[in-house]
Amino acid sequence: MKEILDSLSIDAMNAGGFNGTWISDENGGVLESVSPIDGQTIAKIQQVASEGYEKVISKAQEAFETWRMVPAPKRGEIVRQIGLELRKHKDELGALVSLEMGKIRAEGGGEVQEMIDIADFAVGLSRQLCGITMHSERPMHRMYEQWHPLGVVGVITAFNFPVAVWAWNTMLALACGDAVVWKPSSQTPLTAIACMKIADKVLKANKVPDGVLGLVIGRGSVIGNTFVKDTRVPLISFTGSTAQGKKVGEIIGGRLGSSILELGGNNAIIVSQHGDIDMAVRTILFGAVGTAGQRCTSTRRIIVHEDVYDDVLSRLVKGYKSIKIGNPMEDGILMGPLVNRAAVEDMMKALDIIREQGGNIVVGGEELKDYPSDCYVTPCIVEAKNEWPIVQEETFAPILYIIKYKTIEEAIEYQNGVPQGLSSSIFTLNLKEAELFLSHKGSDCGIASVNISTSGAEIGGAFGGEKETGGGRESGSDSWKQYMRRQTNTINWSDELPLAQGIHFGD
């Protein structure tokens, strides 16, 4: 562990604020980063409070004034160099993600690869921040629209993807000419500090104004509330629970700010009798057990046709019994611990409710006692009904509900019959079923796929969902537009002053 921390310049005690220089407040309190792998403290952070927060935000405002005037392709060049620097530190940063969050090394490395990929995407984007030209109804007038940098963008991330989600927002926002201030999860502060140190090497080498990237690690009651209320931050990207997202959205909406909300998912895979069952089972195993069920895109429900239900269930049970659980830093381990003890307790409470509501726990669902920490569990499969209250909720744990269906219309009704609408998939080789699932009367999720997992979204497509998932979009496609402000321009190059709609006003 020491070798990993040293390579990323993580000290025993670290400052919790950054605006080009490192900042800490004596009254901010000390935060310990504890690894769920063994319950040991990795390092400590001297958090910021109101004074440190103000230094970061005011510096970001100041830096934005300069950064927005740097030509977009030159901003893209800075992003390209950040991507290169991340490549150099991929293994160590991925290992720190595993240490601090608990996901296996392969997933930690994969998350850093997402950062590298979105940097590459943003480099190309920096030359494509295109508006359009429209024909004016007035003679000798030209009308067009353009996109300007927005301002200071706030990014609030969750523990489960402690670095990738920051990068999804930040690389695009930097290319768009914004300054970015990051408030990471208190569960994973060290990964944020490491990312800031990696990026700062590039910023300093290119004489980028201090404050273009900022970091605030502090108590949510002090820093988080101040952040979302701050009118100097026109856009907040928030990743977290639906309950918390509703509060955040209400506060930001109350000040007429903008928000990108990436909230809960209750994702389903429909397994048709016409599907490739072998491929479906392998996909479900990763989708449900990957990151110990702590992805917003984790597979939480499988809706299986009655003709293949018993076959699918028996194969999954066999697969679940073979999953190797343990230290995620070790080779061959497929599932590490949950992020903390509270997550284990939430899972056990959910299983109690499942039993009360009539669910049959087919396999798993036990706490593992003889492990280095009290955060290890076995993933479980539950026979359930879609309408049960507990199935309607998102339990952030490796609980997979299996539900039987008769017709494809019934399966789609089950798929859509939850408050969340993030990711969905169907396994079928039947063209009509696939097209129905992707049609207007098919999946109501922001992400709908055929013959792939609900998790593992690519950065090229816009990421996000509908309903209680929040409606936000991050990463690829035209998500960049959220980080800029649209302006419509009209130029009159005639000697007349015609009004629109043919209106005449005097002579």
Side-chain angles (χ1 to χ4, degrees):
M1 184 168 69
K2 186 178 185 305
E3 184 179 345
I4 294 168
L5 298 179
D6 288 346
S7 67
L8 296 169
S9 302
I10 300 296
D11 301 318
M13 176 65 77
N14 303 270
F18 180 77
N19 68 354
T21 58
W22 288 95
I23 304 164
S24 58
D25 292 342
E26 289 184 4
N27 59 346
V30 174
L31 174 66
E32 292 190 14
S33 176
V34 177
S35 175
I37 296 173
D38 57 10
Q40 299 299 307
T41 297
I42 305 171
K44 298 179 181 180
I45 301 93
Q46 180 66 53
Q47 300 178 109
V48 296
S50 299
E51 182 180 346
Y53 171 82
E54 183 58 35
K55 290 178 181 177
V56 173
I57 294 295
S58 59
K59 198 69 174 178
Q61 276 192 299
E62 179 185 327
F64 170 67
E65 301 292 324
T66 303
W67 181 244
R68 66 181 175 177
M69 298 307 296
V70 175
K74 293 186 181 299
R75 298 194 298 255
E77 168 59 18
I78 305 301
V79 172
R80 184 187 73 83
Q81 292 179 36
I82 293 174
L84 290 176
E85 198 66 26
L86 286 168
R87 280 181 171 88
K88 295 178 186 176
H89 296 281
K90 178 181 175 179
D91 290 343
E92 310 95 275
L93 186 55
L96 181 58
V97 169
S98 296
L99 276 173
E100 197 168 33
M101 185 266 154
K103 62 176 63 174
I104 61 174
R105 284 291 293 268
E107 290 188 275
E111 183 172 348
V112 180
Q113 186 61 50
E114 282 192 52
M115 303 175 76
I116 296 165
D117 292 344
I118 198 65
D120 288 346
F121 181 93
V123 174
L125 175 66
S126 69
R127 294 182 181 270
Q128 298 177 349
L129 302 174
C130 303
I132 60 172
T133 299
M134 296 83 76
H135 286 273
S136 174
E137 66 184 66
R138 292 169 283 189
M140 288 183 280
H141 283 58
R142 182 164 68 89
M143 187 164 62
Y144 65 98
E145 69 178 26
Q146 60 180 328
W147 296 85
H148 294 302
L150 182 62
V152 179
V153 171
V155 181
I156 302 174
T157 56
F159 73 86
N160 58 331
F161 278 83
V163 294
V165 172
W166 170 74
W168 287 358
N169 288 275
T170 299
M171 301 307 164
L172 298 192
L174 288 177
C176 290
D178 301 321
V180 182
V181 176
W182 182 13
K183 183 188 182 303
S185 166
S186 60
Q187 299 289 334
T188 53
L190 297 178
T191 51
I193 292 170
C195 288
M196 204 58 57
K197 290 187 175 184
I198 290 169
D200 187 48
K201 293 178 186 177
V202 175
L203 302 184
K204 291 285 196 298
N206 287 273
K207 297 181 172 55
V208 174
D210 285 351
V212 164
L213 288 183
L215 178 69
V216 285
I217 299 172
R219 294 189 179 96
S221 58
V222 177
I223 299 302
N225 289 342
T226 303
F227 204 17
V228 298
K229 292 176 182 177
D230 199 330
T231 57
R232 295 171 295 178
V233 185
L235 172 66
I236 295 277
S237 174
F238 173 84
T239 302
S241 69
T242 295
Q244 194 62 35
K246 287 179 178 179
K247 296 177 183 177
V248 168
E250 184 176 356
I251 293 169
I252 297 171
R255 63 175 174 86
L256 298 182
S258 297
S259 60
I260 301 171
L261 300 177
E262 298 290 357
L263 310 177
N266 197 346
N267 316 295
I269 292 177
I270 296 172
V271 183
S272 165
Q273 74 273 33
H274 305 299
D276 183 325
I277 303 304
D278 287 336
M279 190 161 65
V281 168
R282 294 200 307 272
T283 300
I284 292 164
L285 279 168
F286 171 74
V289 177
T291 322
Q294 297 172 115
R295 291 178 175 231
C296 53
T297 55
S298 289
T299 304
R300 308 212 177 277
R301 298 174 296 143
I302 53 170
I303 302 163
V304 184
H305 191 273
E306 58 185 3
D307 288 353
V308 294
Y309 181 91
D310 290 339
D311 185 22
V312 170
L313 180 57
S314 64
R315 294 194 200 196
L316 283 172
V317 169
K318 182 179 179 181
Y320 267 53
K321 289 180 178 178
S322 68
I323 291 169
K324 293 182 178 179
I325 302 167
N327 186 332
M329 304 293 286
E330 296 177 1
D331 292 338
I333 296 297
L334 297 180
M335 184 177 126
L338 297 187
V339 69
N340 54 31
R341 181 62 194 171
V344 175
E345 292 172 356
D346 286 346
M347 178 177 174
M348 295 304 123
K349 288 175 186 175
L351 292 175
D352 288 340
I353 294 171
I354 286 166
R355 296 183 185 96
E356 292 172 4
Q357 294 179 2
N360 174 33
I361 300 173
V362 181
V363 65
E366 302 98 3
E367 294 185 55
L368 295 173
K369 302 296 185 182
D370 297 327
Y371 278 71
S373 79
D374 57 2
C375 298
Y376 292 84
V377 298
T378 56
C380 67
I381 302 173
V382 178
E383 290 186 296
K385 294 186 177 180
N386 200 67
E387 64 270 19
W388 290 349
I390 190 64
V391 179
Q392 295 284 306
E393 299 176 7
E394 179 195 39
T395 302
F396 224 56
I399 300 174
L400 176 66
Y401 300 108
I402 183 168
I403 300 159
K404 189 182 296 186
Y405 79 91
K406 294 179 181 291
T407 67
I408 185 60
E409 292 78 14
E410 182 183 39
I412 291 173
E413 182 180 350
Y414 288 156
Q415 143 64 38
N416 295 342
V418 293
Q420 309 83 1
L422 179 52
S423 185
S424 58
S425 184
I426 185 172
F427 271 80
T428 182
L429 301 178
N430 182 300
L431 179 63
K432 289 183 177 180
E433 284 188 334
E435 290 294 338
L436 173 61
F437 181 73
L438 300 177
S439 75
H440 303 321
K441 61 179 181 179
S443 169
D444 64 0
C445 293
I447 300 169
S449 306
V450 177
N451 297 329
I452 65 170
S453 177
T454 59
S455 62
E458 294 184 36
I459 58 96
F463 178 88
E466 301 299 324
K467 304 189 292 187
E468 288 194 357
T469 300
R473 294 296 187 274
E474 295 172 332
S475 193
S477 186
D478 65 349
S479 296
W480 63 269
K481 293 180 178 180
Q482 297 166 107
Y483 305 96
M484 305 194 82
R485 58 181 178 88
R486 184 198 305 254
Q487 185 180 79
T488 300
N489 307 108
T490 306
I491 299 172
N492 178 3
W493 54 279
S494 76
D495 296 323
E496 306 294 331
L497 288 172
L499 300 177
Q501 293 83 47
I503 295 172
H504 294 280
F505 189 75
D507 295 330

